[in-house]
C-alpha cells in the first residue's frame, strides 16, 4: 500500500496498531474508572450480560468466564470477588455440578453495565467517523485469522 509517495511497510502498520491499542486501552481505563470499574471487571459484566440476554439457562462458572474473557482463572476469581463486594454479581450453586458456583449478574450490575454501554456509544460514533467500517472490519477479520492460524496467541 502506498500513502502519498511513501510505501507502507508491515512495521508501519504494526506501529500504528500498537499506538491505537495503547491509546484505546488508556482511554477505556480512564472512562471505566469514572464508573468505579476496571477493564477486566467490565469484560466480565459484559460476558454475564450477554449470557443473560441470549441464554439465561446456561450456567456461567468462573472457568467458563475465564475462557470467554481470556483472563487467568485465579485472576478471574479475584475480579468476581471484587464485583461481589460491589453487589454487581452474586454466586449460586450449579445445578449441573454440585462442586461449582455459578456467577450471575445482579440488577445493579445489569443497570451499571447498560449505563456504561450507553455512554460509550457516543465515543464510538466519533471514533469511527470518516472510516469505512466495512473495509476496516474485513481487514481486521483477516488479521485476526492470520494471528489464529499462526498461533501467535499461546494457549489457544
Amino acid at each position: 500500500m502506498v500513502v502519498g509517495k511513501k510505501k507502507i511497510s508491515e512495521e508501519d502498520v504494526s506501529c500504528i496498531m500498537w499506538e491505537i491499542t495503547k491509546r484505546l486501552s488508556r482511554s477505556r481505563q480512564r472512562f471505566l474508572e469514572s464508573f468505579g470499574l476496571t477493564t477486566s471487571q467490565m469484560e466480565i459484566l459484559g460476558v454475564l450480560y450477554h449470557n443473560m440476554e441470549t441464554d439465561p439457562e446456561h450456567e456461567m462458572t468462573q472457568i467458563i468466564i475465564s475462557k470467554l474473557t481470556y483472563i487467568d482463572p485465579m485472576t478471574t476469581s479475584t475480579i468476581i470477588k471484587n464485583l461481589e463486594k460491589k453487589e454487581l454479581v452474586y454466586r449460586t450453586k450449579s445445578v449441573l455440578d454440585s462442586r461449582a458456583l455459578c456467577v450471575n449478574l445482579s440488577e445493579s450490575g445489569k443497570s451499571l453495565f447498560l449505563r456504561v454501554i450507553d455512554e460509550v456509544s457516543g465515543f464510538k460514533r466519533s471514533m469511527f467517523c470518516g472510516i469505512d467500517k466495512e473495509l476496516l472490519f474485513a481487514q481486521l477479520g483477516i488479521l485476526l485469522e492470520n494471528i489464529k492460524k499462526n498461533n501467535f496467541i499461546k494457549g489457544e
Side-chain angles (χ1 to χ4, degrees):
M1 178 174 165
V2 178
V3 174
K5 294 189 182 234
K6 181 182 179 202
K7 183 175 170 124
I8 304 298
S9 70
E10 286 84 3
E11 184 64 26
D12 294 329
V13 174
S14 181
C15 284
I16 198 166
M17 286 180 59
W18 177 85
E19 184 173 352
I20 288 168
T21 302
K22 294 301 273 182
R23 287 178 183 266
L24 277 173
S25 179
R26 286 186 192 129
S27 296
R28 185 181 321 125
Q29 286 170 350
R30 273 183 264 156
F31 175 76
L32 290 173
E33 281 173 6
S34 69
F35 292 93
L37 294 171
T38 66
T39 302
S40 298
Q41 288 173 335
M42 185 62 180
E43 286 179 64
I44 289 175
L45 292 177
V47 163
L48 293 172
Y49 178 80
H50 178 74
N51 181 70
M52 185 178 76
E53 291 295 305
T54 59
D55 190 8
E57 300 303 313
H58 184 256
E59 293 186 337
M60 294 296 284
T61 63
Q62 175 183 316
I63 295 299
I64 292 170
I65 293 168
S66 173
K67 288 178 182 176
L68 290 172
T69 58
Y70 300 97
I71 300 172
D72 172 78
M74 293 307 293
T75 304
T76 300
S77 177
T78 302
I79 295 166
I80 290 169
K81 285 177 188 170
N82 289 330
L83 289 170
E84 266 186 311
K85 287 177 189 172
K86 296 178 181 190
E87 299 181 350
L88 299 174
V89 302
Y90 62 96
R91 298 184 207 217
T92 56
K93 287 208 177 265
S94 169
V95 175
L96 303 174
D97 181 354
S98 61
R99 300 167 296 161
L101 292 174
C102 297
V103 183
N104 306 280
L105 192 60
S106 70
E107 279 304 314
S108 59
K110 178 182 175 182
S111 175
L112 179 61
F113 177 78
L114 291 174
R115 204 169 86 229
V116 171
I117 292 301
D118 185 53
E119 290 200 28
V120 83
S121 64
F123 170 73
K124 286 181 183 177
R125 277 193 300 278
S126 66
M127 183 173 65
F128 291 110
C129 181
I131 293 177
D132 183 334
K133 290 179 280 300
E134 288 77 17
L135 178 60
L136 178 61
F137 187 82
Q139 294 295 299
L140 290 174
I142 293 168
L143 179 62
L144 180 59
E145 288 306 311
N146 288 344
I147 291 169
K148 288 178 180 178
K149 179 175 64 182
N150 291 298
N151 197 23
F152 292 136
I153 300 173
K154 300 295 181 207
E156 281 189 29

